[in-house]
Amino acid sequence: MRRAMRWTNVVISAVALASGLAVLASNLLDAGYRAHYRDSLLVVVAYLAFYAWTLVTFARDGRRTAHLAVAKALGAYLFLATFVAVGPLWMARTPARYVYLLFDWGRDATGVLMTYVLLGRGVWNTLNAMFFTAPWWMPLRTTHPLVGRVVTILPIGLATAFVAAFFELRALERATYSAAASAVAEQVFAGLECDEIRRRQGTETTDVRQRADGERFRVRVVWDCRAVRVYVQDEDGKMGSFAGPRLECCEAVAGRAGRMAAC
């Protein structure tokens, strides 16, 4: 069992390393990629160093393995606690972005990404830390039964809470998400022209769109060439969205600003 847990952690570390190496190579070889993501090479190198150390530590299974398992669990809790505020930005901007892309199967399959975030990061890291720290807390169940049971119950309770949150969020999404609204958002995004994006840069607009079948949708567009965001609400109040960069329009905006400055 310990061997299986160790090598599962090695594989996870290797995948994270591959993501970091892809980000580093893209920054060094592709100026457009570097201009878009604006990655700090220092952060990328630190990320690579951490996961290289993680891979080696789990592979060797030394005395630091338990400490690392606890540190990974605490990091996962911090990530989940701040997910609403910084989670999407973290997934898109950090060297781990390609790990998250493995589980990002599109707006109609967000359950896959949610499974990874809540069950993969939350439940797995909790059980992982419990397993590798068993030599610390197992004796407590004999020498100090009450303390030992509390120490055991807390992580199990956390893991159960993550599972409950997963099912609750899945139910909430089914009640609030509209595939039709999401399709409309994607259509609106695809129809945006650079001239319009340049003209409305930095603003928000709302309007109502009607499909051929007569269904009406309220559309809100946040105009930003680096990340145009389209939010759509159907007649039942369910939501859909689509977002993405339009960097070719950014270049036009920058060129126009430069010409104005020269005048």
Side-chain angles (χ1 to χ4, degrees), residues 66-252:
H67 297 87
L68 180 55
V70 172
K72 284 173 61 66
L74 294 175
Y77 300 154
L78 178 62
F79 172 77
L80 292 170
T82 59
F83 185 80
V84 173
V86 302
L89 183 63
W90 172 271
M91 292 189 294
R93 294 294 182 180
T94 65
R97 66 177 65 104
Y98 294 116
V99 177
Y100 293 103
L101 280 176
L102 290 174
F103 300 92
D104 188 357
W105 293 10
R107 191 63 184 85
D108 293 331
T110 54
V112 178
L113 183 59
M114 199 179 301
T115 299
Y116 172 67
V117 170
L118 281 171
L119 303 186
R121 297 213 62 182
V123 176
W124 161 258
N125 280 293
T126 299
L127 299 180
N128 193 52
M130 280 193 70
F131 179 84
F132 284 105
T133 59
W136 301 353
W137 55 264
M138 282 294 287
L140 288 174
R141 294 178 64 88
T142 302
T143 59
H144 299 82
L146 180 59
V147 175
R149 280 165 174 74
V150 169
V151 170
T152 305
I153 288 171
L154 285 177
I156 291 176
L158 271 175
T160 304
F162 290 137
V163 173
F166 169 77
F167 286 109
E168 183 67 25
L169 288 174
R170 288 292 291 152
L172 179 64
E173 183 177 26
R174 293 191 187 97
T176 60
Y177 170 68
S178 164
S182 188
V184 169
E186 187 171 358
Q187 292 169 4
V188 171
F189 181 91
L192 299 178
E193 300 290 342
C194 264
D195 287 342
E196 187 177 15
I197 294 173
R198 289 195 298 270
R199 188 173 66 254
R200 299 183 184 275
Q201 175 72 11
T203 66
E204 294 186 19
T205 59
T206 59
D207 64 275
V208 175
R209 309 287 177 99
Q210 183 170 325
R211 294 200 308 187
D213 60 6
E215 189 173 6
R216 294 162 65 87
F217 298 86
R218 184 175 181 272
V219 177
R220 179 168 68 93
V221 182
V222 179
W223 303 89
D224 181 352
C225 58
R226 293 194 176 278
V228 179
R229 299 183 296 280
V230 182
Y231 302 97
V232 177
Q233 185 176 32
D234 68 12
E235 294 174 325
D236 296 325
K238 294 185 177 181
M239 301 292 296
S241 64
F242 193 86
R246 293 293 301 271
L247 298 182
E248 71 279 13
C249 303
C250 283
E251 294 172 0

